Amino acid sequence: MSGQRVHRRLPGVAAATVAIAVGALALTGCNDESGEAKTRGRDLTALQCPMVETGQNGGVSQYRPAENAFDTAELLGLELAEAREKAARHNCGIIVSREDDKSRPVPIEIDPTRIYVYVADGVVSYIEGVGGGL
């Protein structure tokens, strides 16, 4: 008799499981078109260049990405000359702070239009930062 109760519950449990799975997919933003959730707005963790000063807080200058700012991660994997051209289109310059595992001297003043990079075999391999201490 207990075996009959188990068989009667299986269709209800299966239906509930399917409903939960469909609901989870809907909440994660998956759809048949792209299979990925779409993001909104800028990635706040991205290193953007150029930056513009927005004022001071406790005597410390504050910065935000300029209107024409771009994600410096786009420079990764580019030849240094090509990376410099891309940065220049956004009014930014590139400072090589490390080349082929050797550190290089760099300017120490803050400049929110400078991108500090590592280069290996002529290719940008790492973005160290933007602005020199920002």
Side-chain angles (χ1 to χ4, degrees), residues 55-71:
Q56 293 198 347
N57 185 4
V60 177
S61 296
Q62 302 294 302
Y63 295 86
R64 67 167 174 73
E67 288 296 318
N68 67 329
F70 77 108
D71 185 350

Side-chain angles (χ1 to χ4, degrees), residues 24-108:
L25 288 174
L27 289 175
T28 60
C30 293
N31 59 37
D32 291 340
E33 294 174 17
S34 69
E36 295 181 13
K38 295 188 179 187
T39 59
R40 295 183 182 149
R42 277 193 161 159
D43 177 359
L44 299 178
T45 63
L47 290 173
Q48 303 271 328
C49 188
M51 302 290 283
V52 293
E53 189 171 357
T54 60
Q56 293 198 347
N57 185 4
V60 177
S61 296
Q62 302 294 302
Y63 295 86
R64 67 167 174 73
E67 288 296 318
N68 67 329
F70 77 108
D71 185 350
T72 59
E74 295 175 22
L75 303 175
L76 294 171
L78 297 179
E79 295 283 334
L80 182 57
E82 186 179 358
R84 287 186 194 276
E85 289 174 17
K86 184 173 187 105
R89 289 194 294 267
H90 296 275
N91 301 318
C92 293
I94 290 182
I95 304 294
V96 177
S97 58
R98 191 162 178 85
E99 185 171 16
D100 297 326
D101 293 326
K102 294 179 185 168
S103 295
R104 297 177 61 183
V106 297
I108 60 170

